[in-house]
């Protein structure tokens, strides 16, 4: 007498395969990771390594973009020089035009880093114009030329230096910043033009404290007996104690060499302009 198999209650799932059935656990066994890959210490090591790599890349990128690349970029400072007339004493009138002028000098840091200024200097000398026979031009233009150009129908003769002095009192210029200096100068009657020369020594590294960069002295400027500008190394606050660097060998040894050794990007910015003077002859 046959009997029907017992009926499975509604909703009950199939009985899972017995352990002895072939292939029942082979799939699960093939996907199971080795014990060492499931180790918490390995997971911690991977996470730490990722953090270190990301941090190292961030530091490298920051140092490269924000420090190294700007430090290698050429420093640039642009100078603007002008001489503008000012009103004659007495408020003007029938008297000849005044030869007093306002000298303005501006310096702009066109680079991407702060620039440090050593002692800067300006000088001004007038120029007079004397008419000449134009046929003398070939002989006068045979050279060598000097700072004053040669004209065919006239000769330009510089006066001695009329005015000079320290230029900027600022010790640094930030990127994109402009600093200014303005002074009033008086020129002799008969001046046809004037030439202004400017010297601005610039470092791209901040000089050390205590004036140790130049042996405990500071850079200044002065004249020798022939009215030639020379650098001086002076004890700060004591203008009577200065070393004259009018000897090229001394200048190289005591100033240029030390400054270039400290900052290979050190440069002496020199600029000259000639300005016509209304009212000159």
């Amino acid at each position: 007498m046959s009997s029907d198999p017992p009926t499975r209650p509604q909703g009950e799932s199939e009985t899972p395969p017995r352990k002895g059935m072939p292939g029942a656990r082979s799939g699960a066994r093939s996907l199971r990771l080795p014990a060492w890959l499931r180790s918490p210490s390995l997971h911690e090591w991977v996470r730490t390594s990722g953090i270190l790599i990301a941090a190292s890349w961030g530091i490298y990128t920051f140092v490269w973009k924000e420090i190294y690349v700007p430090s290698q970029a050429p420093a640039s400072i642009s100078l603007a020089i002008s001489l503008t007339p000012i009103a004659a004493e007495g408020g003007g009138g029938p008297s000849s035009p005044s030869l007093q002028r306002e000298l303005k000098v501006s310096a702009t840091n066109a680079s991407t880093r702060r620039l440090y200024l050593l002692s800067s200097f300006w000088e001004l000398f007038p120029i007079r114009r004397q008419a000449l026979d134009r046929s003398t031009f070939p002989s006068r233009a045979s050279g060598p030329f000097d700072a004053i150009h040669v004209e065919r129908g006239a000769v330009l003769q510089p006066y001695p230096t009329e005015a000079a002095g320290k230029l900027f009192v600022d010790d640094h210029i930030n990127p994109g910043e402009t600093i200014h200096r303005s002074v009033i100068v008086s020129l002799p009657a008969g001046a046809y033009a004037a030439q202004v020369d400017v010297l601005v020594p610039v470092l791209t590294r901040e000089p050390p404290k205590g004036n140790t960069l130049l042996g405990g002295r500071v850079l200044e400027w002065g004249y020798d007996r022939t009215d030639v500008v020379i650098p001086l190394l002076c004890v700060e606050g004591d203008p009577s104690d200065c070393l004259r660097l009018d000897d090229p060998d001394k200048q190289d040894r005591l100033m240029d060499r030390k400054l270039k050794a400290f900052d290979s990007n050190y440069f002496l910015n020199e600029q000259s302009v000639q300005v016509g003077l209304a009212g000159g002859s």
Side-chain angles (χ1 to χ4, degrees):
M1 179 175 175
S2 62
S3 61
D4 294 331
T7 304
R8 186 185 309 115
Q10 187 176 359
E12 183 177 338
S13 60
E14 273 190 32
T15 304
R18 294 191 297 269
K19 292 183 179 180
M21 295 181 63
R25 296 180 59 88
S26 60
R29 185 178 298 112
S30 64
L31 296 177
R32 186 176 180 82
L33 296 175
W36 65 273
L37 284 178
R38 293 181 284 109
S39 170
S41 59
L42 175 63
H43 294 172
E44 184 65 24
W45 181 87
V46 171
R47 188 172 69 87
T48 303
S49 298
I51 294 174
L52 291 176
I53 291 172
S56 299
W57 177 253
I59 293 173
Y60 169 79
T61 303
F62 173 80
V63 171
W64 176 266
K65 290 184 177 180
E66 304 297 331
I67 299 178
Y68 179 76
V69 172
S71 71
Q72 299 303 309
S76 177
I77 184 172
S78 59
L79 296 171
I81 306 171
S82 65
L83 273 176
T84 56
I86 62 175
E89 293 183 5
S95 59
S96 61
S98 170
L99 288 184
Q100 287 189 325
R101 295 292 185 271
E102 182 181 18
L103 170 63
K104 294 181 179 180
V105 182
S106 300
T108 300
N109 180 359
S111 67
T112 57
R113 53 182 162 174
R114 173 178 288 188
L115 300 178
Y116 299 90
L117 305 180
L118 300 178
S119 177
S120 51
F121 179 86
W122 67 272
E123 67 172 332
L124 178 148
F125 58 87
I127 301 171
R128 56 188 175 184
R129 186 175 186 271
Q130 178 183 352
L132 286 181
D133 184 342
R134 296 173 64 87
S135 64
T136 64
F137 178 77
S139 61
R140 291 186 291 110
S142 61
F145 295 119
D146 58 17
I148 306 299
H149 63 273
V150 179
E151 291 186 13
R152 182 172 292 276
V155 60
L156 302 179
Q157 299 176 331
Y159 287 89
T161 298
E162 189 71 21
K166 181 174 288 189
L167 184 55
F168 299 118
V169 297
D170 307 73
D171 59 6
H172 69 271
I173 314 180
N174 292 317
E177 183 182 7
T178 299
I179 58 176
H180 308 274
R181 177 72 193 280
S182 176
V183 295
I184 303 299
V185 294
S186 297
L187 302 171
Y192 162 77
Q195 178 164 317
V196 181
D197 297 334
V198 170
L199 303 173
V200 184
V202 178
L203 293 170
T204 60
R205 294 179 57 195
E206 183 176 7
K209 305 298 182 183
N211 303 322
T212 58
L213 180 57
L214 294 172
R217 294 175 179 265
V218 293
L219 175 65
E220 300 291 353
W221 300 92
Y223 282 97
D224 66 5
R225 294 180 180 178
T226 60
D227 283 347
V228 175
V229 180
I230 58 172
L232 305 170
L233 293 182
C234 302
V235 174
E236 189 170 16
D238 185 1
S240 64
D241 187 357
C242 293
L243 299 176
R244 297 168 56 91
L245 301 182
D246 44 348
D247 184 316
D249 292 335
K250 290 181 180 179
Q251 181 174 342
D252 178 71
R253 182 172 65 253
L254 296 177
M255 187 181 76
D256 287 346
R257 186 179 301 174
K258 289 184 178 181
L259 292 176
K260 290 176 181 176
F262 172 74
D263 180 5
S264 60
N265 293 318
Y266 156 77
F267 65 98
L268 178 61
N269 195 313
E270 302 178 70
Q271 186 165 322
S272 298
V273 297
Q274 293 181 9
V275 181
L277 302 174
S281 59

